[in-house]
Amino acid sequence: MSDERPITRIRVEALHPALSAEAAQWAARLGLPLAGQAEFALQLGEQGLQLAELGPQAPGPIRVDFVEGAVAHRRLYGGGSGQMIAKAVGVQPGVRPRVLDATAGLGRDAFVLASLGCAVTLSERQPIIAALLEDGLARAQRDAEVAPIAAQMRLLQGNAIELMRDWQGEPPQVIYLDPMFPHRDKSALVKKEMRLFRPLVGDDLDAPALLQAALALASHRVVVKRPRKAPIIEGAKPSYALEGKSSRYDIYPKKALKPQG
């Protein structure tokens, strides 16, 4: 996601007095005030950390929840390795690639890949969204059923282009990119997320540099998720694409993924 704008428009607040000290820790970490006028609030409640727009017409808050809700439904009934994202990153019998999700957002796609057995590193540069991810992963690790999946996920907070250029150790086999784009998805969930996130992150104007860095690092392939009718990212051309009803996966293969052993 693109570079964060000034975040003085956000305050941190505890939804229960017992959580005040922990809320103060988040405020100190993120450099945010605990009081004052604000358009948004990073709220700490009994269900974890959430981002809320303030005001009478505001939609409900957003949190990262890997245990219940839409993510749990997709884990249980989403089609497993038959899902298009699984095919796009190369999941097949005997193949569970190491994946870097360089634009992690709320981590839904990363969680799907982890639930299928991939080791996934998540990179998110917007500090507020990274905080939501960190909190969601911590809660997932405390759930007996979901903890083994969360154990497959590692979160890095920082600029993905710099992280990829300075990568240490074995490179990811697959790098997955889902840059912010004027999505045409009409679902209420996506519209709510876009309303909350766009003031913080904007669109990814550096997507070409993101793709270039991914192609330089990935050992086997790069996958870019786009709205179905969106143009490809400027730069190298994908070899092929997988199309769904609203999304498209542009595939940039470098080397074939083969079963281990």
Side-chain angles (χ1 to χ4, degrees):
M1 292 187 172
S2 55
D3 287 332
E4 61 271 17
R5 301 178 184 182
I7 51 179
T8 51
R9 63 202 308 186
I10 303 173
R11 70 174 184 237
V12 178
E13 57 188 31
L15 298 179
H16 190 282
L19 299 171
S20 296
E22 190 177 348
Q25 291 174 351
W26 279 112
R29 273 185 57 183
L30 297 167
L32 298 176
L34 279 164
Q37 291 288 324
E39 295 175 63
F40 302 91
L42 187 65
Q43 301 170 328
L44 183 63
E46 293 178 354
Q47 292 180 295
L49 208 59
Q50 62 186 32
L51 179 65
E53 184 179 350
L54 303 175
Q57 303 298 318
I62 283 177
R63 73 176 62 85
V64 172
D65 190 348
F66 295 126
V67 180
E68 298 178 348
V71 172
H73 187 273
R74 186 173 175 185
R75 171 173 59 87
L76 296 170
Y77 309 111
S81 58
Q83 296 175 77
M84 193 174 299
I85 186 174
K87 295 176 181 177
V89 303
V91 170
Q92 53 190 290
V95 177
R96 294 296 185 271
R98 297 185 313 280
V99 180
L100 167 62
D101 182 349
T103 52
L106 293 178
R108 291 196 192 97
D109 288 340
F111 184 80
V112 168
L113 295 174
S115 71
L116 296 175
C118 298
V120 186
T121 299
L122 299 82
S123 169
E124 175 52 54
R125 67 170 134 179
Q126 214 296 328
I128 303 292
I129 300 173
L132 295 174
L133 268 175
E134 180 181 331
D135 177 71
L137 280 169
R139 282 182 282 111
Q141 288 161 359
R142 296 194 293 267
D143 181 88
E145 192 172 350
V146 178
I149 300 172
Q152 295 277 94
M153 302 167 71
R154 176 176 69 123
L155 174 63
L156 301 176
Q157 200 256 298
N159 183 298
I161 295 171
E162 295 172 4
L163 287 170
M164 287 190 284
R165 288 176 179 166
D166 299 334
W167 192 269
Q168 300 293 316
E170 194 172 15
Q173 293 172 293
V174 177
I175 297 179
Y176 178 80
L177 305 175
D178 182 11
M180 286 283 281
F181 188 84
H183 282 275
R184 300 182 185 278
D185 192 317
K186 300 296 194 297
S187 77
L189 178 63
V190 170
K191 286 198 290 186
K192 182 170 78 170
E193 290 173 2
M194 291 302 103
R195 178 169 167 172
L196 283 168
F197 287 172
R198 284 207 183 280
L200 302 181
V201 301
D203 289 327
D204 269 318
L205 302 179
D206 57 357
L210 197 65
L211 174 61
Q212 186 178 25
L215 288 168
L217 177 62
S219 62
H220 287 68
R221 74 171 63 175
V222 173
V223 177
V224 180
K225 184 179 181 180
R226 303 290 277 165
R228 188 170 65 88
K229 295 185 178 180
I232 63 171
I233 293 179
E234 182 183 341
K237 303 292 189 288
S239 295
Y240 64 99
L242 301 177
E243 280 197 13
K245 290 181 180 178
S246 60
S247 298
R248 183 186 82 235
Y249 296 90
D250 293 338
I251 317 294
Y252 301 77
K254 295 178 70 177
K255 191 163 63 172
L257 288 158
K258 297 181 180 178
Q260 299 262 316

